[in-house]
Amino acid sequence: LRHSPGALDASVAGDTVLVAPGVYTDVETRDIAGLGSWTSCVFMVDGVVLRSEGGAAQTLIDMQDSPGPQPCVLNALYLNSGSTSVQGFTFTGAPVNSQGVFTAFGALVTFRDCVFRDLDAGESGGAGIAANTDLLLERCEFVNCVASGGGALYHANGRLWMYDCVFRECGSIAALVRGNPGGPVE
């Protein structure tokens, strides 16, 4: 599939959505069952691979500081298959006090060759990624991602694997990894 409005929404587990190089700025607000309204550029679909054709240097998802309830550039909630993957994007432009990516209530989500830059989560945690699920990061870069609670990455409630990742200019805490007393195993 080529990226077009609705291409990701039309996909199903096992599909790969290929995104042409460019700057993507479309933002929408959706109601998510039990969690209220969320505002994002991308709402991931469980079990789908979202891949750029030109890599992170040529494919930017920019929220352009768009206001809305519970904003994040990429929303990855309730992804239970463990095979959801995002590859080769730059994420930027989330409003202050929000995240580049928010992922929770699911299984493993993978990010490869992604850049998270110029994000400010303010009093919240995880300007680049706030994760409450298993997370695999490969060859990702976090640049100028700041927050009082875990600058670039805030992770809890799951396992975290990071390989060949770089954190630059991300405040006094680049990554904050917290476990929960009483489980799950982390």
Side-chain angles (χ1 to χ4, degrees):
L1 293 173
R2 284 281 212 226
H3 183 275
S4 64
L8 190 57
D9 288 338
S11 64
V12 297
D15 285 349
T16 296
V17 176
L18 294 175
V19 181
V23 178
Y24 296 88
T25 60
D26 290 342
V27 175
E28 70 175 294
T29 299
R30 294 185 183 180
D31 288 327
I32 297 177
L35 297 176
S37 295
W38 290 73
T39 302
S40 297
C41 293
V42 177
F43 289 87
M44 283 303 298
V45 174
D46 191 24
V48 170
V49 174
L50 181 66
R51 184 180 330 142
S52 71
E53 291 182 311
Q58 296 179 22
T59 316
L60 184 81
I61 301 176
D62 187 347
M63 196 168 184
Q64 297 185 326
D65 298 319
S66 297
Q70 303 187 76
C72 57
V73 180
L74 183 139
N75 183 305
L77 299 174
Y78 296 114
L79 306 175
N80 295 313
S81 69
S83 59
T84 305
S85 179
V86 179
Q87 302 171 10
F89 292 90
T90 293
F91 298 95
T92 192
V96 172
N97 294 318
S98 60
Q99 291 82 25
V101 170
F102 186 78
T103 181
F105 314 118
L108 177 69
V109 178
T110 300
F111 290 86
R112 288 188 178 94
D113 304 310
C114 290
V115 176
F116 305 85
R117 74 161 201 243
D118 303 323
L119 298 162
D120 184 347
E123 296 301 314
S124 189
I129 299 175
N132 288 294
T133 189
D134 290 348
L135 185 65
L136 170 61
L137 303 173
E138 292 185 286
R139 298 176 304 278
C140 290
E141 184 175 359
F142 298 83
V143 181
N144 191 33
C145 293
V146 296
S148 62
L153 172 64
Y154 176 90
H155 185 269
N157 303 325
R159 294 175 176 91
L160 171 66
W161 295 269
M162 284 194 305
Y163 302 97
D164 301 319
C165 293
V166 175
F167 295 81
R168 293 188 292 123
E169 303 166 24
C170 290
S172 61
I173 301 173
L176 180 60
V177 180
R178 289 208 160 137
N180 279 338
V185 175
E186 300 181 273

